[in-house]
Structures are given as structure tokens and as C-alpha cells.
Amino acid sequence: MKENKVRGVITLIVIALAFVSLLWPTSNGYRGFASLFNRIRLGLDISGGARIEYKVDIDKSVENPSQIAEDVWTVLRNRLDMANYTEAVVKQTFREENTFIIVEIPGATDTARAEQLIGSTGILWFGQVVDETSTNPKIDPELTNEAKREKAEWLLDREGKKWYLVKKEIANISSLKLVSPKIVEAIPQVDRNNVAGYVVTFKMDKAYVDVFKRITEKLYVPEELLNQGGIAYKQALKKRLAIVLDNRVQFAGFVTAKITDGSALIKGNFTLDEAKQLAAILKSGALPARLEKVSSGWVAPLLGKDIIEASIKAGIVGVVIVLVYMIVFYGVMGIVADIALLYNTFLLLGILAVTGSILTLPGIAGIILTIGTTVDGNIIIYERIKEELRKGSSVKAAISTAFSKSFITLFDANLTTIIAGLFLYYFGTGTVKGFAITLIIGVLGSLFVNLIVSRFFLELFSGGIKVKSVGKGGAKA
Amino acid sequence: MIDFVGKKNVFIILSIILVAASLVSIFTKGFYLGVEFLGGSEIILSVNDVVDEAYVRNVIKNLAPEFENARVTQIRSIDDPKDITKFSIVVSPLDEKGKLRVYSGEEKDMVSKKIVEAFKEKGKVANVIGFNETSGYAAKEIKNLTWKAVVFTLLAILLYITLRFQFVFGVGAIVALIHDVIITLGFFSFFNYELNVAAIAAVLTLIGYSLNDTIVVYDRIRENLKRARGKSIENIVNDSINQVIKRTINTSLTTFIVIFVLLLFSGNSIKPFAFGMTIGTVVGTYSSLYIASPVVIKWIKR
């Protein structure tokens, strides 16, 4: 049987890859059986993680402070979801009239890494650059005075080399302010005019298009003027647009076209990483309030170590009972089902390891469902085989017919589950999203295992099936 | 041959009663929500010794009713000394109406004092170093799964099943799905079982399970419908169920075994998951046999 050889080879390659991905050396230190889990990132509920507490710095004059705290929560949640940290926990706490936000990130024991994931904790705003210098303005009274005169402040640039004098109110018009605008799209792109550099394009939400249009009208400088030099150029230097984040000027440049639709391009000689990071911060939303770090550290497993140990033991006992049950009920075919079950479990763990997905309790729920669907797929096939045997088919023919008839059932049953999973992933955040990922991976895996792996082993063991079925059912061979 | 279809009205009535009872319980009694949903008061406790969560849970469990289900997690700030362990204890104190309430300033002092004394009795020095109000983080995450999302998911499933089977099958699967989710939630409400993040995971798993189970039965009906034109729809459905019953029982039993062992021996915060799955497996299996299929019969007849 040539086909079955192909199945066998695929079966071996896939499981070998899963084990390679599980056992690839890593710095994590479990030994023995547990070393299989070294490369799987575990969720907060199972392994704990980094914990950082921020105070939300809300201006006292603000009308609706709780709404701002709420918006901060949403922005942080989105940022973590976008970085694939769906299992991170973001919660609000309150004391003495202040709002705090606690972010707990699984796996990361290094809080510096966690802070990097959360990204900027400052407010994003657009301003007007009126001057620049490379000497520290704090030690030069002339420059300090200039800042007072212009009602602007000196801010460092991204690299910490240059100082820009930036005004929040463009052209001193109080309505021309653009603080924490909502940005719907931001993409890092290769700069066509500069081989090594990257640019970021972005698009603002409808609500900010008008203000942005008026700002670009005020700061508009025709391109030919930039090449002329002289007084006109000096005038133009006072009309540059700045994007400020974390009190640093991320970008300062000329507006060479009036922007009427809210989409613009930022050119700042970015490296790919810088462009990606800026795009991520723009897209994931600008924080409406500054966050001040209060404390950082780690948190132990949310479920408690004792609880997890008891539950894992219970889970293993349950699975062993299922393995025995299948052999008692289906004999040789039961052994194949057991192989399929273990195969799919390791396959799922391998995929989790290689994709860097995070395993949490809801994820384990997904795995249990996967065990269910794998066993179910096998049972569906076996019952079909038995049916065919009762009709008098030979074992080989029975296996073949059973698989072609079961395919449609398995396909429809699993695809509806995957559709449900995709919608949960698309609409959900946090926990729900994490669950959807394991569910989708697991169901796809069980389909593969049922159609390829189980079939390979069934054909391999078909001799064993024959003897038993004939003895019991009395079918003609 | 078991007659599944003949007594369908009995089972439809049984299901209607169960769904109605569940809805009544959900809307009048509500849920006993876990701290992840409810939020509450977070006490930051520092103990001058190396102890674990189980120890702390044990010391505080009798201080007040709400401490029995306190969530205890160890935390550590970067600069904490090694011989001090710090814990975040979250409790959700309720008023007489079962609503979450906030400790008054005096109560906070009293609770703090009680905790410190309880540790003193055990010969340990403990300090309450923080007392915050905290929001339930899970409530917000689940809130983002709005009705719109639920409706879209159901529509997508309906569309798929309509394309692969017939419209009535899609309706049957969705009726069974809603039936299962409502009854499972009803059990949580009625038995005062804690509804936490793990329980939500169980409900989500149940959706996958219920769909899977229903489709397998439908698939047989579809196959037999093609073959036996002359037979009555009742007979076809009944034959189909009888043909897959062994598979249904074996699958349900194997899933049930894992979950039930987990329910018996797992720790407190995982129990709601096992409870939800146990109920879900039974209800999900029942509904694909007695609800999803009879619904199809009624519609095809018309």
C-alpha cells in the first residue's frame, strides 16, 4: 500500500517536528517529563508573571475622570492583545480618590520586557516646532527666556541629541490642539526615496480629520520654498509639525501638502524597528492620560500552586481512565484511538511551543475539548468500520469505506466548531481570544490526526481487527 | 431500536421547563460571581516569614464570610527583601441583598486589625500595607463580547449549516446550542456555583461540544434522507439516532470521565470549570438526541 506509506511518513515527520519544537534547548529549568513543557509559555493563572502598577495621572479639571481611566484600560488591553499577550490581565484599582491600573503579564519575569510590551505611557500630541538647538536649554538662560516668550517648551528628540522648542497650540490658536487623537491605521513602510530608511503612514479617525486639516493649512509650506533658502526658509523653519510622545519629539518635519482626509506620512529616517514601534503606538491608540509607574514586581500563579498540582493530577487520572476504556471497548482499534489521542495532545503542545502561544486554564479547556473531538472522530470511524464489517465487507474495504463516509461528518462537525472559534477570536479580547486560539489549533489538529494518523495505524494494525470482528460479529471474511 | 422520536413531546416539554426554570433563576437570583467579575477590596499583606498561599488562605478563612472565597496570590516588588512574603488578597464583601459593597474606612481598619491578630496567634508578624478597591477585570473583557458578536457567530453557524444541510438543520443546531448554554448557566445560578473565568471557559467549550455532537447526528439524518425517500421522516430520524447512539454514548462518556474526575479532585478555582463541563456534557448530549433532531422533524413535515 503506497498511500499508507505516505501517511506513515507524514505521521512520523509531523510528530518529530512537534517534539523538536517541544524539546529544543531553552534556558527554562524543568527536568524529566516536565521538560516537555519548557518551551510552552504558561499563562498568569498557571505560572504567574510580571506585575506593574501605574497611577493614572488625570488632570483635576477634567469633567469625566472615570471615562478617561476607562479609555486608558481599553488602550492598554488593545496594545497587549496586538502584541499577542491576550492572556495578560489589566485591572483598575482605586484608593484615596486616585485610579491605578495594574498590568500583569504572563511569563515575563523581567519587568523591563513587560514595560516594553506595554509601550509608551505618555500622551501623544501634535505640536508646532518654533526653534531648535543642540545645547541643553536648561543651562542657557537665553533659551529658557525664549521658551517663556513663545509659550512653548523645550523637548528632547528621539535620540536625545537635539532640543526642539514645541508649542501645543498651533499658531497660538487655542482650538488648534491635537492631543491623543484616535488613529485608525498606521503602517510602517519602506521609504521609496531613501534606501535604508522607513516611513510610517497613518490615518486619523473621522473626528480629528477637521482639526488636522486646519493645522496642516496653518503649517503648510510649499516644497519649492524649502529649496530657496534665505528669509523665506527661516520663516518656514518656524512652521514645522512635531509628533510628541513620552515628552520626546518623535518626528519634526515640514507639511508640504494640505491634508484634508486625515491620512499622512511621517518621515523620520526610522529603522524598521523604530517604524514598527511608532506604528504600533499610533495604531493601538494614544493614551488620554499619563501613566506614572508606582511599583513593579511579579505575581505568583493566580490559581495558587497547590490548586494547580491537585488539578493536574486529577486530569492525568481522567485521561488514563479514558485510555483504558477505549481499549476495553474497541480492542485493537482502541489502541489506535489512544495513540491518536496522545499524538494530538503532543502535536497541540508542539504547535503552542513553536507559535509562542500562551497556555492558560481556558486553554486547557480547549485541550480537553480537543481530546474529546479526537476520541470522537475515532469512535465515529470505528462504528462505521463495524457497520461495514457487519454488512460483510473485508477489513480493508471496511476501513476504506468508513473513512470516505466519515470524512464528511468530521469535516462539517469540525468546521462549524472552527467557525465558532474564529468569531470568538475576532470579537473577543483577553481570555476569550486565548481560548479561541487553542480551540482552533486543537480542532484542526484533531482533523489531521483522525484522517491521516489514525488511518495509518488502522491500516497497519488491520490484521488485528479482522480476527476479533469475525469472531464476534460472525461476518464473512 | 430505541424510540427516541415517539416521546419527543415529553422531552420538549421537559426542556421548556428546564429552560424556563433556568431563566427564572438567572433573572431573579442571578449569579454568584467570582472576584474576577465582581471586583471588591484588595488587601496587600506582608508577612515577615516565608509562607505560601495555602497557609494564608487557611489563616484568614474564618475572619468573615467573604474571606472563605478570597483569592490569594503571592506578589513581589523588585526591591522586596527575601525573608518577607507579600500577598494580594481580594475579597468581595456583599450586603444583605447580595450586592457588592465597599468597606467603610472604619471597617478597613477593623479588617486589617483582625488579619494581623490572626497571624499573631500563629506566631507570625504580618502587616496590611495596602487596601484598595478593585474592579473585576474579567467583567470588562466579557463585556466586549457584545450581543452583536453573539448574533454574528450564530448567523455564521446558521449560514454554514444551511449551505451544507438545510435551513431547518441550522435552526435546530442553534436552538440546541442556546438550550444548552441557558440550562448550564441556570445550573450555575440555581446551585449558587461560583461563576468565574474558568466557568466562562467551560461555557465556551460547551458551545464547541454541543455543535459537534449535533452535527454528527444531523450528518446521519442527511445521509439516510438521501437513501430512503419513501420512509417517514420520523422513522429516518429515529433510525439515524439509533445508528449513532453508540458513538454518542462512548464520546460523551469519555469526555464526562475526564471532567468528572476533575470535578471530584481539582482545587477550588478550577471546580467551576469542571462543574460547567459536567453539566454541559450531559445537556449537550441530551439536546442533540432529543431537541435538535425533533425540531427538524416538525419543520420538515410542514
Side-chain angles (χ1 to χ4, degrees):
Chain A
M1 281 284 275
K2 207 176 155 205
E3 275 178 16
N4 210 41
K5 265 193 189 147
V6 176
R7 275 184 217 112
V9 171
I10 296 174
T11 301
L12 278 177
I13 290 176
V14 170
I15 198 70
L17 285 177
F19 273 101
V20 166
S21 121
L22 278 174
L23 295 172
W24 200 260
T26 158
S27 52
N28 278 17
Y30 301 118
R31 273 167 202 214
F33 179 72
S35 66
L36 279 175
F37 297 92
N38 274 344
R39 288 188 57 81
I40 294 182
R41 279 159 54 191
L42 297 173
L44 269 176
D45 46 1
I46 301 174
S47 78
R51 172 186 161 114
I52 305 170
E53 188 174 0
Y54 294 102
K55 184 180 160 198
V56 185
D57 189 9
I58 299 173
D59 210 31
K60 288 275 183 290
S61 60
V62 166
E63 265 176 52
N64 195 351
S66 66
Q67 184 55 45
I68 289 188
E70 201 80 2
D71 291 346
V72 171
W73 182 89
T74 312
V75 170
L76 291 183
R77 181 72 262 171
N78 286 342
R79 283 185 188 173
L80 288 166
D81 278 358
M82 243 189 286
N84 272 332
Y85 274 80
T86 53
E87 324 298 344
V89 166
V90 186
K91 53 190 173 187
Q92 291 179 15
T93 67
F94 315 91
R95 66 172 174 265
E96 292 136 23
E97 314 250 309
N98 281 319
T99 303
F100 297 80
I101 285 198
I102 296 174
V103 182
E104 292 169 348
I105 299 179
T109 38
D110 174 9
T111 51
R113 163 118 185 85
E115 280 176 64
Q116 209 185 338
L117 275 170
I118 296 163
S120 149
T121 52
I123 302 175
L124 174 87
W125 51 278
F126 289 67
Q128 181 185 1
V129 177
V130 287
D131 201 359
E132 66 175 75
T133 174
S134 44
T135 49
N136 188 342
K138 275 177 204 146
I139 51 167
D140 189 337
E142 187 62 28
L143 293 172
T144 320
N145 285 337
E146 189 190 351
K148 269 185 199 154
R149 220 169 37 239
E150 294 274 2
K151 284 182 192 143
E153 56 181 325
W154 286 104
L155 296 171
L156 255 180
D157 75 342
R158 192 159 33 97
E159 280 139 6
K161 284 182 188 152
K162 227 185 217 170
W163 298 82
Y164 289 98
L165 189 57
V166 191
K167 268 185 205 176
K168 213 171 245 177
E169 290 172 359
I170 312 286
N172 292 337
I173 300 169
S174 62
S175 66
L176 280 190
K177 254 196 307 192
L178 198 52
V179 180
S180 325
K182 194 173 159 202
I183 288 163
V184 284
E185 194 183 272
I187 308 162
Q189 281 174 341
V190 180
D191 188 350
R192 293 218 183 87
N193 306 318
N194 180 352
V195 186
Y198 283 83
V199 295
V200 178
T201 56
F202 67 89
K203 201 169 167 37
M204 257 178 229
D205 186 77
K206 277 186 243 116
Y208 299 91
V209 167
D210 188 52
V211 184
F212 194 52
K213 187 181 103 191
R214 290 198 288 135
I215 287 175
T216 56
E217 269 169 8
K218 275 272 176 276
L219 299 182
Y220 167 64
V221 178
E223 205 146 351
E224 12 356 314
L225 210 134
L226 295 178
N227 304 324
Q228 279 172 16
I231 297 173
Y233 182 70
K234 272 194 176 160
Q235 288 286 323
L237 272 180
K238 290 194 160 225
K239 288 171 96 179
R240 275 179 293 171
L241 179 75
I243 297 179
V244 182
L245 184 70
D246 280 341
N247 267 341
R248 289 225 170 182
V249 176
Q250 303 290 326
F251 159 84
F254 294 105
V255 178
T256 53
K258 285 170 206 169
I259 297 166
T260 50
D261 62 347
S263 48
L265 181 146
I266 323 173
K267 235 187 219 175
N269 230 347
F270 301 109
T271 64
L272 177 61
D273 278 344
E274 284 170 337
K276 267 189 188 163
Q277 210 178 357
L278 184 58
I281 287 167
L282 287 173
K283 189 166 54 182
S284 61
L287 282 176
R290 181 170 296 283
L291 295 184
E292 187 190 315
K293 192 169 87 182
V294 180
S295 77
S296 66
W298 59 261
V299 55
L302 301 183
L303 293 172
K305 238 181 230 148
D306 44 342
I307 290 174
I308 291 165
E309 272 166 21
S311 306
I312 287 178
K313 268 183 205 148
I316 291 174
V317 170
V319 171
V320 169
I321 298 177
V322 170
L323 293 177
V324 172
Y325 178 95
M326 288 301 287
I327 295 178
V328 168
F329 216 86
Y330 288 101
V332 175
M333 294 196 284
I335 296 174
V336 176
D338 290 352
I339 295 173
L341 191 161
L342 294 173
Y343 189 101
N344 196 26
T345 309
F346 284 117
L347 177 60
L348 180 62
L349 293 178
I351 294 174
L352 288 179
V354 86
T355 53
S357 311
I358 302 168
L359 185 62
T360 57
L361 179 67
I364 291 174
I367 293 183
I368 292 182
L369 181 67
T370 303
I371 292 179
T373 50
T374 315
V375 173
D376 184 49
N378 277 284
I379 293 176
I380 288 172
I381 295 163
Y382 302 161
E383 291 295 337
R384 283 281 185 173
I385 292 177
K386 281 189 177 174
E387 251 174 71
E388 294 302 317
L389 287 175
R390 276 196 292 270
K391 280 186 199 159
S393 323
S394 71
V395 175
K396 294 259 172 198
I399 291 177
S400 175
T401 319
F403 269 95
S404 59
K405 278 190 176 170
S406 309
F407 175 75
I408 284 288
T409 317
L410 296 177
F411 184 79
D412 280 334
N414 289 331
L415 207 60
T416 21
T417 313
I418 291 174
I419 288 174
L422 286 175
F423 273 80
L424 286 178
Y425 181 78
Y426 185 78
F427 287 110
T429 48
T431 318
V432 175
K433 234 183 185 135
F435 171 79
I437 294 172
T438 0
L439 178 70
I440 293 168
I441 296 176
V443 172
L444 284 175
S446 85
L447 200 57
F448 166 78
V449 169
N450 282 327
L451 295 178
I452 307 289
V453 181
S454 295
R455 176 129 194 210
F456 167 71
F457 283 107
L458 270 183
E459 304 248 1
L460 200 66
F461 295 155
S462 57
I465 299 169
K466 199 175 181 175
V467 177
K468 209 178 169 195
S469 305
V470 171
K472 262 193 172 176
K476 275 177 257 167
Chain B
M1 279 274 255
I2 309 164
D3 186 12
F4 286 96
V5 174
K7 297 193 185 80
K8 66 170 185 279
N9 288 334
V10 178
F11 289 105
I12 289 178
I13 289 168
L14 175 71
S15 281
I16 289 174
I17 292 172
L18 278 174
V19 169
S22 297
L23 287 175
V24 167
S25 178
I26 291 169
F27 284 109
T28 56
K29 198 160 170 241
F31 292 110
Y32 170 50
L33 294 170
V35 292
E36 300 105 305
F37 280 98
L38 212 51
S41 297
E42 184 187 34
I43 301 158
I44 308 282
L45 182 78
S46 138
V47 184
N48 289 12
D49 200 350
V50 181
V51 293
D52 63 3
E53 293 98 326
Y55 183 89
V56 176
R57 226 177 275 137
N58 198 35
V59 173
I60 61 169
K61 71 176 177 211
N62 295 323
L63 290 182
E66 63 263 24
F67 277 84
E68 212 174 308
N69 286 302
R71 279 279 184 286
V72 180
T73 359
Q74 201 188 333
I75 54 174
R76 176 174 285 277
S77 300
I78 295 226
D79 40 10
D80 283 348
K82 282 237 158 20
D83 53 345
I84 284 184
T85 30
K86 258 168 46 180
F87 296 90
S88 151
I89 302 169
V90 183
V91 289
S92 311
L94 304 176
D95 60 18
E96 303 87 53
K97 285 178 193 153
K99 286 251 155 44
L100 183 74
R101 67 189 186 87
V102 175
Y103 283 129
S104 67
E106 277 168 39
E107 272 179 305
K108 280 186 182 176
D109 288 344
M110 216 174 66
V111 167
S112 305
K113 232 181 241 164
K114 268 190 186 169
I115 295 175
V116 171
E117 266 163 31
F119 273 92
K120 214 183 215 169
E121 276 170 31
K122 301 259 173 189
K124 306 247 186 257
V125 179
N127 290 301
V128 171
I129 53 176
F131 215 125
N132 312 324
E133 308 310 323
T134 176
S135 68
Y137 71 91
K140 276 194 181 155
E141 287 181 2
I142 301 299
K143 226 196 284 167
N144 285 331
L145 255 188
T146 51
W147 280 109
K148 214 165 62 182
V150 174
V151 170
F152 279 137
T153 310
L154 292 179
L155 281 179
I157 295 170
L158 185 66
L159 182 71
Y160 181 78
I161 299 180
T162 306
L163 287 176
R164 301 284 304 158
F165 296 82
Q166 278 181 44
F167 180 68
V168 284
F169 286 84
V171 175
I174 285 174
V175 168
L177 188 64
I178 295 172
H179 165 271
D180 298 347
V181 170
I182 290 178
I183 292 181
T184 306
L185 288 175
F187 268 87
F188 272 97
S189 168
F190 188 77
F191 288 101
N192 253 343
Y193 231 89
E194 185 181 325
L195 194 67
N196 60 8
V197 169
I200 294 301
V203 173
L204 294 176
T205 311
L206 160 67
I207 293 174
Y209 184 84
S210 168
L211 272 175
N212 195 71
D213 210 36
T214 305
I215 299 279
V216 172
V217 181
Y218 277 0
D219 181 71
R220 256 318 153 105
I221 299 178
R222 174 174 62 182
E223 195 184 320
N224 291 335
L225 265 176
K226 272 187 214 150
R227 245 188 266 151
R229 285 269 168 213
K231 266 189 179 173
S232 75
I233 177 75
E234 274 94 349
N235 274 337
I236 293 176
V237 172
N238 208 38
D239 285 353
S240 307
I241 297 178
N242 273 289
Q243 282 162 9
V244 295
I245 187 71
K246 250 188 170 172
R247 165 263 159 200
T248 305
I249 290 172
N250 278 331
T251 299
S252 305
L253 216 57
T254 42
T255 315
F256 186 82
I257 292 168
V258 181
I259 295 307
F260 193 64
V261 175
L262 206 56
L263 179 64
L264 291 181
F265 299 109
S266 68
N268 261 337
S269 30
I270 294 178
K271 276 215 159 73
F273 168 72
F275 177 76
M277 284 286 289
T278 306
I279 305 295
T281 319
V282 175
V283 180
T285 308
Y286 159 82
S287 75
S288 51
L289 298 179
Y290 289 103
I291 299 301
S293 308
V295 165
V296 176
I297 293 177
K298 284 207 160 172
W299 283 49
I300 281 187
K301 256 184 156 178
R302 274 175 207 170

